[in-house]
Amino acid sequence: MFELPKLKYEYNSLEPFVDAKTMEIHHSKHHQGYINKLNAALDSHADKKDMSLKDLLLQKDSFDSQLQKAVQNHAGGHYNHSLFFDIMSPTPGAMSTELQSQIEADFGSKDNMVEEFFNAAASVFGSGWAWLVKDANGKLSVQKTVNQDNPLTASQTPIMGIDVWEHAYYLKYQNKRPDYIKSFMSVLDWQKVSDNFQS
Ligand code: MN
């Protein structure tokens, strides 16, 4: 059974960038909801119950179509939100020199990377995510996905992601998604993203 990961901060800790009500609903209702539906889907598949979240996502194409869809949406939702909540902090840390060097190699500068990420997040049509992704050689790219899909494959791993579903920002930002993206960048913990890059 998958369980809702505890946050490392309080629901109001990211104010004024992310409001407490949005955090509470997003974590205790939306994220919990993906976990509940994932657990329910696995209930009738005893042979899959001990698989890790990552293995479920990597192997979903071999599952029957109903389970495949449930894993895509709900294991995806669990994985994506776990990453998203983990890389925000009321006391964001600095980027490592290793990540800084890789960003400069792949994007020219941190500003260029942030701009590309911002534009990807702003241009997701409907509900989805924007990501910074590391491939098997450590090379970085900005990608976007719809719904609860993510870029995780055997050869690439997302190290940073922003949820641009309206439930992530509508209470405070309404239709102003770009303002929400800017606020996310203010609480983004580059130290944690660096840890994800180096792990
Ligand atoms: Mn969400």
Side-chain angles (χ1 to χ4, degrees):
M1 293 282 279
F2 289 98
E3 290 181 4
L4 184 66
K6 286 213 167 26
L7 296 179
K8 299 173 296 184
Y9 44 82
E10 303 300 322
Y11 288 141
N12 64 2
S13 298
L14 304 178
E15 294 264 13
F17 303 105
V18 185
D19 62 288
K21 192 70 182 168
T22 295
M23 277 301 308
E24 180 185 353
I25 296 170
H26 204 175
H27 182 252
S28 70
K29 305 294 184 199
H30 289 279
H31 191 174
Q32 182 72 63
Y34 295 115
I35 292 167
N36 293 347
K37 286 175 183 161
L38 173 60
N39 286 333
L42 291 171
D43 224 23
S44 48
H45 294 83
D47 59 320
K48 311 279 191 311
K49 277 186 177 170
D50 293 328
M51 288 179 68
S52 71
L53 186 59
K54 202 171 163 178
D55 283 343
L56 284 169
L57 286 163
L58 291 175
Q59 295 176 34
K60 67 180 184 306
D61 290 353
S62 67
F63 302 162
D64 70 61
S65 62
Q66 197 179 356
L67 182 61
Q68 187 180 325
K69 201 69 195 167
V71 167
Q72 181 179 354
N73 290 337
H74 303 122
H78 179 22
Y79 181 93
N80 297 349
H81 287 83
S82 297
L83 175 64
F84 174 67
F85 290 132
D86 192 46
I87 59 172
M88 291 190 287
S89 169
T91 54
M95 185 183 286
S96 68
T97 52
E98 289 86 349
L99 180 57
Q100 177 95 31
S101 301
Q102 191 64 47
I103 285 174
E104 285 167 3
D106 294 328
F107 298 91
S109 69
K110 179 187 170 190
D111 284 352
N112 288 351
M113 188 280 286
V114 167
E115 185 182 357
E116 193 176 326
F117 181 82
F118 185 97
N119 290 338
S123 65
V124 171
F125 182 72
S127 298
W129 293 73
W131 308 95
L132 182 64
V133 180
K134 176 183 83 163
D135 77 8
N137 298 316
K139 187 174 165 54
L140 299 168
S141 62
V142 168
Q143 300 182 19
K144 49 187 180 178
T145 58
V146 297
N147 301 322
Q148 293 300 346
D149 294 356
N150 64 50
L152 180 69
T153 68
S155 60
Q156 64 173 27
T157 308
I159 62 170
M160 157 180 155
I162 181 172
D163 186 346
V164 295
W165 284 54
E166 284 188 342
H167 69 226
Y169 62 89
Y170 205 84
L171 287 180
K172 183 176 172 74
Y173 296 97
Q174 295 85 45
N175 60 316
K176 300 182 286 289
R177 190 194 286 180
D179 290 354
Y180 156 70
I181 302 168
K182 278 181 211 150
S183 286
F184 168 79
M185 298 309 293
S186 299
V187 292
L188 176 61
D189 186 357
W190 286 107
Q191 175 63 58
K192 186 67 210 180
V193 177
S194 302
D195 292 347
N196 294 342
F197 172 68
Q198 276 147 258
S199 67

